[in-house]
Amino acid sequence: MVKTKEFKFNEARAKGTDRSSKPTVMKKFKLKHHTANSTNTTAYIQILGVGMDTHDTMPSILLFFDRQRFIFNAGEGLQRFCAEHKIKLSKIDHICLSRVCSETVGGLPGLLLTLAGMGDGVPVNIWGPSNLNILVDAMKCFIPHHSMVHTNLVSHTGPLQIDSSAAVASKFKDVKISAILLQPNGVKASDVKPSDVSVIYVCELHEIKGKFYKEKADALGITVKTKYKELTQGKSVKSDLLDITVHPNDVMGAPVPGPIVIVVDCPTSSHALELISAQSLNDYYSDSSNQSQSGNIVNCVIHLGPASVVNSSHYKKWMKKFSSAQHVMAGYVMNEVQNPILKSSARITARLNYLCPHLFPLMSSSIQHPISTASDFNFLSEDPTSKLSDGIFAENLLKFILRPHAHLGLDRSNVPSPQAASAVIDELLLESPDIADAAQHVSQLWQKPAERKECAISKVMTDKPILDENSVPSCLENIRRDELEVTFLGTGSSQPSKYRNVTAIYFNLFSNGSLLLDCGEGTLAQLKRRYGMEGAESAVRNLACIWISHIHADHHVGLVRILTLRRDLLKGVSHDPLIVLGPSQLKRFLDAYQRLEDLDMQFLDNKATTLFSWETFELDNESNKNNELVLERDEDVKNGNLTSSRESCSQGSSKRLKLSVPVAKVETFALLNRLKKVLNEAGIERLFSFPVVHCPESSGVVLKAADRINSIGKAIPGWKVVYSGDTRPCSEMVEASQGATILIHEATFEDGMAGEAIAKNNSTTKEAIEVGNSAAAYRVILTHFSQRYPKVPVLDEISMHKTCIAFDLMTINLADLHVLPKVIPYLKLLFRTEMLIDNSDDHVVEADL
């Protein structure tokens, strides 16, 4: 039925912190031990609405038992979703994948890293089609912990079975799960690609045995109480007083059949045609004679396919074969943005928007998609609670209760209620009435001094001058608002949290395109929350390149989802593959992953974009041009005379050879040429990487815009933005940041945690600010905060005259740089009750990802 493979991920770079301080293991084994027949056990299947508000990934499904947890599919954002809704990832025993693609596995790397760091030593079982091993092998490139993963390749239709030879503690206790392979209709078995295969999972809970009637046993002469147990176990016994054999059905009531749930991922209409003709589900159809004999009554079917498939007449005809089942349509469903999935983050964003809408725009109200909304499922009512002939529309955290049997059916008690931004603001003003005055004063920061009105709170906030308003760098002279806008899509470190996603920075160059610096898990979802569905797709479509700082997962796991979306958006349109720059380890991962699905990208090692490498490239270019001129001049000269002509280039060639590095490779040279062209079209004169002090091959990056000409013909120097990636303060960082318009610097730890910053090769807040001061940077923006500070990092009153704190979905326009430091006091006012470490909601454990 399955092929199994067990391994430990490479520990070569692991500095991993021990997460075993959290007593996960003890809790795991202190659970009350219920038998399969206990009527007191709890079991349900639940919709985890990951991506429901952004349509960026497929929802996950949780199958919950007291002693085990199963997750079906692990799209991007699963960890963050579970943190928001207090779903304990440490309890997950099995991950079942319907397909292996970016929509179903985007959250798997981060999830495995988190489970590995918990230190309970229990391996996680992953089930999926035969191409699952390609994904797992690819992830070895950056999973640094001693994570034990047991892969189970579903190669045939039939029950899932753990390899008896494997030392896996997590056997199936409460449920029998069978896999049914679904492939496109009309394709020869030999021509089916692993990526074409989808897995249907049939989950059958064990039956509950009937009640034991002691009075019946007494009447049949059973006096030895040990025989009661044998009868309940299905064994016949001899009567103690009568000359008869007593059978279990003589003293026990009728058993209660175990509930059955089917999880169906039918991705295309071709798969739907195959589904109709498949024989494997015959025993479960309502009109099947086999069903009446076996008692296989399906209680719930969860559909993960898109509306274009499940809305077809073929598919609806197939659904009707389960007449007694509750159908839940969970594929690509959309909630209104007014009811966001991540309420904690949305609440913070709404408060920040009220205080300063210039820097914190509201989440886009156009986050709807024409592909699969509620109305697309035309057999559904607009009311998600109503059940029509075919099914109901899935809601976030909707449950179908499986145990206890008396409560069998839908349960909406955990479905979140809508959250309006106005209610969040009403709550804020009730807590802090002076925020209204603060918001008024912040809005005046964008006005000329003569136009500003004095208000009570402004006197407090402006007692000390923050900066000289006249000290604006020349590159910002008459700057237009369509030059550059920087949006922070993730500002947290290590792993996603309720309030901060992991690192990603979006550079909007408006008509010139866009760039991404780092691309942590959930980057696409954050783009959609900020810019809406169409805006995010436009941003991805117009990317000039993506630059990745280092191999730690919190900086690049969202890359695959961005690349596959761009591939799909540009399908049928003439275009070039996207250039991805990063460390060599990232290339190994991307090359391995492309065996699963095409990413439509070309990789360039960051080492090929250092200043030294660019100089070598330019020398090579110049030499090639000289050689072309020589060949043109000497084309009529005989071959014997060609040598003397080329000798005229010997001096330049010897200098070039001295500087020669791997950039001389033909493919790298061609890619650098294309990168230079792409950057120039985006108005970027130079992009160069430089080494920093973190893990091997970590880099920072400098972006320098081309000079511009003002209305009177004067040349205005282009802006310069420097991004640190993850690093300790170092000379390379200071040198690269000299005269930067913006320095974006990581500030993982507060100043009292310098020892931990040194141990993990990160920076403290003070150290990041000092780098900016040493480099005479105009503005320093701090990011990559430890998740110990879920809302606001701990800041000292030092050197804040040029510094700003980044928040998720914060957007900074070049034209607003002069205002940034003035906003800091108001941010502190907004979060004055939350400036200390928040331990009330979450137990955050850092990992060196």
Side-chain angles (χ1 to χ4, degrees), residues 57 65 98 144 240 249 284 308 364 387 515 528 573 714 729 783:
T57 193
F65 298 97
S98 61
D240 300 309
N249 58 356
Y284 302 96
S308 59
S364 175
K387 182 179 185 302
L515 304 169
K528 292 187 176 184
V573 178
K714 176 184 174 183
T783 188

Side-chain angles (χ1 to χ4, degrees), residues 488-530:
F488 291 85
L489 301 175
T491 57
S493 67
S494 183
Q495 63 192 69
S497 74
K498 292 201 307 186
Y499 303 102
R500 293 184 184 270
N501 200 47
V502 285
T503 303
I505 307 172
Y506 173 69
F507 280 59
N508 183 6
L509 299 165
F510 297 92
S511 60
N512 288 332
S514 58
L515 304 169
L516 270 175
L517 303 186
D518 279 334
C519 192
E521 179 184 340
T523 293
L524 178 57
Q526 292 290 82
L527 273 174
K528 292 187 176 184
R529 291 185 179 105
R530 170 60 183 86

Side-chain angles (χ1 to χ4, degrees), residues 639-703:
N639 290 338
N641 296 327
L642 251 170
T643 304
S644 60
S645 298
R646 286 181 174 173
E647 285 173 356
S648 63
C649 299
S650 61
Q651 240 182 339
S653 297
S654 64
K655 181 179 180 183
R656 175 172 57 84
L657 288 171
K658 288 178 183 178
L659 292 174
S660 182
V661 292
V663 74
K665 293 180 180 178
V666 174
E667 62 273 16
T668 303
F669 187 87
L671 197 50
L672 277 172
N673 255 327
R674 192 162 85 80
L675 175 63
K676 185 176 180 180
K677 178 185 177 183
V678 166
L679 291 173
N680 288 343
E681 289 173 351
I684 305 295
E685 180 182 85
R686 179 185 296 176
L687 176 156
F688 71 85
S689 307
F690 57 92
V692 295
V693 180
H694 191 55
C695 67
E697 297 191 42
S698 293
S699 299
V701 67
V702 175
L703 294 172

Side-chain angles (χ1 to χ4, degrees), residues 46-54 56-61 78 81 85 333 335 341-342 395-398 529:
Q46 185 173 34
I47 306 294
L48 305 185
V50 184
M52 269 189 172
D53 59 344
T54 55
D56 66 296
T57 193
M58 185 178 289
S60 295
I61 309 297
L78 177 59
F81 179 91
H85 298 287
V333 295
N335 278 1
I341 299 302
L342 303 173
E395 296 176 272
N396 183 31
L397 298 181
L398 177 69
R529 291 185 179 105

Side-chain angles (χ1 to χ4, degrees), residues 628-642:
E628 287 173 9
L629 290 173
V630 169
L631 289 172
E632 286 177 9
R633 187 174 64 241
D634 294 346
E635 63 181 352
D636 294 328
V637 180
K638 293 181 180 179
N639 290 338
N641 296 327
L642 251 170

Side-chain angles (χ1 to χ4, degrees), residues 37-39 207-217 228-229 231-234 247-257:
N37 297 316
S38 173
T39 58
E207 70 173 17
I208 298 176
K209 293 179 180 177
K211 181 181 178 181
F212 177 76
Y213 293 97
K214 181 179 178 297
E215 60 274 18
K216 290 186 178 182
Y228 294 171
K229 183 177 181 181
L231 286 165
T232 61
Q233 292 175 343
H247 302 286
N249 58 356
D250 294 330
V251 296
M252 297 187 69
V256 178

Side-chain angles (χ1 to χ4, degrees), residues 751-803:
D751 296 335
M753 302 182 72
E756 291 189 54
I758 292 170
K760 293 198 170 191
N761 278 336
N762 289 113
S763 300
T764 65
T765 301
K766 182 178 180 181
E767 288 171 336
I769 293 172
E770 287 176 347
V771 169
N773 289 338
S774 300
Y778 176 58
R779 290 291 177 261
V780 179
I781 303 176
L782 305 179
T783 188
H784 196 264
F785 300 110
S786 167
Q787 303 292 19
R788 290 182 175 88
Y789 322 122
K791 298 172 186 175
V792 182
V794 179
L795 296 175
D796 291 335
E797 297 294 335
I798 55 167
S799 304
M800 297 304 292
H801 62 285
K802 61 167 69 173
T803 306

